[in-house]
Amino acid sequence: MTKEEQFDVVVIGGGPAGLSAALTLARARRSVVVIDAREPRNGPADGVHGLLSREGMSPTALLTVGAREVEQYGGRIVYAQAESAKRTSDGFMVGTDRGDRFCGRRLLVASGLVDELPPIVGLRERWGREVVHCPYCHGWEIRDQPIGVLGSVHHALLFRQWSAQVTLLRHTSPEPTSEQAEQLAARGIPVVDGTVTGLEIVDDRLTGVRLDSGRIVPITTLAVAPRLAARDAVPAALGTETSDHPWGLGTHLAADASGRTSVPGVWAAGNVTDLIAGVAQAAASGVTVAAAVNTDLVDEDTRSAVERWRAEAFSAEMERVNCERDLGDRRHGLQSILPGA
């Protein structure tokens, strides 16, 4: 039988949020384990951007350095897929695809999300390369290039900040309203009707998109706004709530500002609960939630200490100790009034 290992906190997900949380907890002298499936959402990207002092660093290198920093303070990293979770008498037990079981007084979910892309042939294969979603992550690298934006007027206007060569590909989206049409015209963004059916690739580079009419629209980058879905299967088994994002972006694990979910003892950090967080925001979220978890544990430790202190303060043993401390060799009780005492 696989041994159950005990920790203060079990962290599911070893991305920027999970590792930052684990680092903070380990430095707070908490025993912590991170269970990571090694499936980083930004893995296909060439580099991380907008992260001060780590600009352009590869996502894999960033996570490798982060994992070593966690281990430096006694945290543990386990590369496996978290598959199950259940409540125990003193916390939670998480099972992995390797058959391991890790028990924690608290569970911190930082499992991230999944980008659900439109069903266009070849799109997934170019994701993170010439097919992008975030202008703040990729805009500088594609500046002044011909960019096609799939279906989103908002994205088209946004990407116009980085290039004057932006085309809105309507695809399956509604026709722009009169106000939107005026905005697009004022910004010099043409609108192309027709459904995108595939990508044109030459020498392993995107050169255009193919429409259902057979027309090829020349572009070198395709901007897509995918639906974002929280990786919430494991915490959902404990009863956590998953909500639709108020902006219609997808689903997220419901949590308050401190990361506390609807299930006592379960916390959430990073993209699993904040769909639009970049790497810097996700890492900051991990630190914030870890501090809240540690405070929660401190409160529990203090309550337990008070209960033990109260129990010991009125025990027979403590009465003996107190009497010896206060009276020393002097006798008390009936013996103190007997002749010759």
Side-chain angles (χ1 to χ4, degrees):
M1 179 179 293
T2 303
K3 181 181 178 181
E4 297 175 3
E5 299 188 61
Q6 302 286 334
F7 297 86
D8 286 323
V9 184
V10 175
V11 179
I12 299 178
L19 290 177
S20 292
L23 179 62
T24 302
L25 288 163
R27 284 177 52 81
R29 309 188 75 173
R30 293 294 181 186
S31 58
V32 58
V33 60
V34 178
I35 304 172
D36 182 47
R38 278 184 164 170
E39 297 176 352
R41 177 189 174 211
N42 63 351
D46 291 333
V48 172
H49 300 291
L51 184 62
L52 194 63
S53 82
R54 294 295 181 266
E55 174 62 33
M57 189 177 193
S58 80
T60 301
L62 179 69
L63 298 183
T64 298
V65 171
R68 298 295 81 79
E69 290 175 347
V70 171
E71 292 177 327
Q72 175 184 342
Y73 291 97
R76 183 171 170 195
I77 311 294
V78 174
Y79 293 111
Q81 178 72 54
E83 290 192 332
S84 63
K86 66 178 183 179
R87 186 175 287 281
T88 63
S89 59
D90 57 356
F92 305 91
M93 183 174 70
V94 177
T96 75
D97 59 351
R98 302 191 326 185
D100 300 314
R101 294 195 296 267
F102 301 97
C103 296
R105 296 166 61 192
R106 300 293 184 272
L107 178 62
L108 199 163
V109 181
S111 46
L113 51 81
V114 175
D115 296 291
E116 297 180 348
L117 299 177
I120 297 174
V121 176
L123 201 67
R124 174 62 67 177
E125 290 74 13
R126 314 306 294 189
W127 181 241
R129 299 174 62 183
E130 303 100 336
V131 179
V132 302
H133 74 293
C134 173
Y136 299 103
C137 300
H138 306 284
W140 177 263
E141 285 66 38
I142 61 175
R143 65 193 185 281
D144 300 326
Q145 296 180 23
I147 302 170
V149 177
L150 193 70
S152 171
V153 173
H154 170 72
H155 261 64
L157 294 171
L158 196 56
F159 273 94
R160 178 62 178 80
Q161 174 64 25
W162 282 265
S163 175
Q165 304 179 69
V166 175
T167 299
L168 175 62
L169 305 163
R170 270 193 56 199
H171 191 50
T172 58
S173 65
E175 184 176 350
T177 65
S178 58
E179 181 182 8
Q180 290 173 330
E182 182 179 39
Q183 292 171 340
L184 292 167
R187 294 292 278 162
I189 302 173
V191 179
V192 174
D193 293 329
T195 303
V196 177
T197 59
L199 309 184
E200 290 294 305
I201 308 296
V202 176
D203 295 330
D204 198 32
R205 296 295 302 176
L206 177 68
T207 60
V209 294
R210 184 171 56 256
L211 304 180
D212 53 359
S213 64
R215 176 186 173 186
I216 303 296
V217 181
I219 58 171
T220 57
T221 299
L222 178 62
V224 177
R227 184 179 184 277
L228 309 175
R231 295 178 183 266
D232 61 347
V234 173
L238 297 169
T240 56
E241 298 177 3
T242 299
S243 303
D244 291 329
H245 193 274
W247 297 352
L249 301 178
T251 60
H252 66 106
L253 190 61
D256 67 14
S258 71
R260 192 188 302 267
T261 72
S262 59
V263 176
V266 179
W267 305 71
N271 283 135
V272 72
T273 187
D274 184 356
L275 299 186
I276 62 175
V279 173
Q281 295 97 321
S285 167
V287 175
T288 299
V289 175
V293 170
N294 182 61
T295 298
D296 192 42
L297 287 169
V298 166
D299 290 344
E300 182 178 277
D301 292 341
T302 302
R303 287 192 299 270
S304 297
V306 168
E307 290 174 1
R308 289 194 301 272
W309 181 84
R310 287 175 176 173
E312 293 172 355
F314 298 102
S315 66
E317 175 63 17
M318 285 304 298
E319 179 67 13
R320 183 189 67 78
V321 171
N322 289 334
C323 286
E324 288 185 355
R325 182 186 64 222
D326 296 337
L327 300 175
D329 294 332
R330 288 180 296 162
R331 298 178 180 180
H332 59 285
L334 290 176
Q335 196 169 16
S336 64
I337 63 175
L338 294 176

